[in-house]
Amino acid sequence: MRSMTRVLAILVVALALAAPLVASEKRPLPDVAATAADGSRISLAALAAEGHWLLIHVATDSTPSARLVAGLKEWQAEVPQLADRAVLVFSGSADQVGQFVSGRGDGMPAGRWLVDADGSAAKALRVTGAPTIIGVADGRIEWVLTGVLNDPKTFQKALTGWVSR
């Protein structure tokens, strides 16, 4: 009876930890555009450099998104390739994104960020929550992590390890 309880407890913990990981079919990164800081439209598929990188869809009004952005800034000190291998895609208007970015000042991580004002990128990427982290390898979506990430440090090693490959 005791071993059955232990097995059940392990199963519950495993499911709780796995819940944010969304099963997604591996597929090419969709050819959808978002707006760069300079106002130009950039195709997400065109950003697909060789190797492993992260596409991170965040919402300007999401506390977990803000925590993740702050975490990325911290992690760049240890893993500098995050600046080149992570792209932030913000939902919301250009004004909302501008306020979010300027409000962080030096706390904003280095790297590329885009605005998905019309939600077309979120729809094409099948984003279901904020933040959503997408692991991309050679232009293909390999995995998706979505939902409330109360403590981004929980995923730090997995994310920095992905871009370090």
Side-chain angles (χ1 to χ4, degrees):
M1 185 70 163
R2 216 174 202 191
S3 64
M4 181 66 105
T5 303
R6 187 174 291 160
V7 168
L8 183 58
I10 290 170
L11 181 61
V12 168
V13 169
L15 286 173
L17 292 175
L21 189 61
V22 173
S24 70
E25 80 258 18
K26 294 181 181 184
R27 61 189 174 101
L29 195 60
D31 190 14
V32 63
T35 306
D38 66 3
S40 64
R41 298 284 289 168
I42 297 178
S43 166
L44 298 183
L47 293 173
E50 290 183 11
H52 293 84
W53 60 284
L54 300 169
L55 183 61
I56 305 169
H57 201 280
V58 294
T60 57
D61 61 350
S62 161
T63 300
S65 291
R67 285 187 194 123
L68 179 59
V69 169
L72 289 169
K73 172 68 175 178
E74 289 177 30
W75 306 341
Q76 283 180 348
E78 296 174 35
V79 183
Q81 55 268 55
L82 264 173
D84 296 326
R85 299 242 173 225
V87 176
L88 293 170
V89 179
F90 288 96
S91 64
S93 70
D95 288 341
Q96 291 169 320
V97 174
Q99 289 174 0
F100 182 94
V101 170
S102 65
R104 274 148 192 77
D106 292 339
M108 190 67 188
R112 297 171 287 185
W113 56 269
L114 306 170
V115 179
D116 181 26
D118 65 2
S120 60
K123 184 176 180 179
L125 292 167
R126 301 178 191 159
V127 168
T128 59
T132 295
I133 305 165
I134 302 169
V136 179
D138 300 323
R140 292 189 59 77
I141 294 174
E142 294 293 320
W143 53 265
V144 177
L145 181 67
T146 191
V148 177
L149 307 172
N150 287 324
D151 185 4
K153 289 182 182 181
T154 305
F155 304 101
Q156 178 181 0
K157 290 197 184 297
L159 301 182
T160 57
W162 180 257
V163 299
S164 298
R165 289 179 166 194

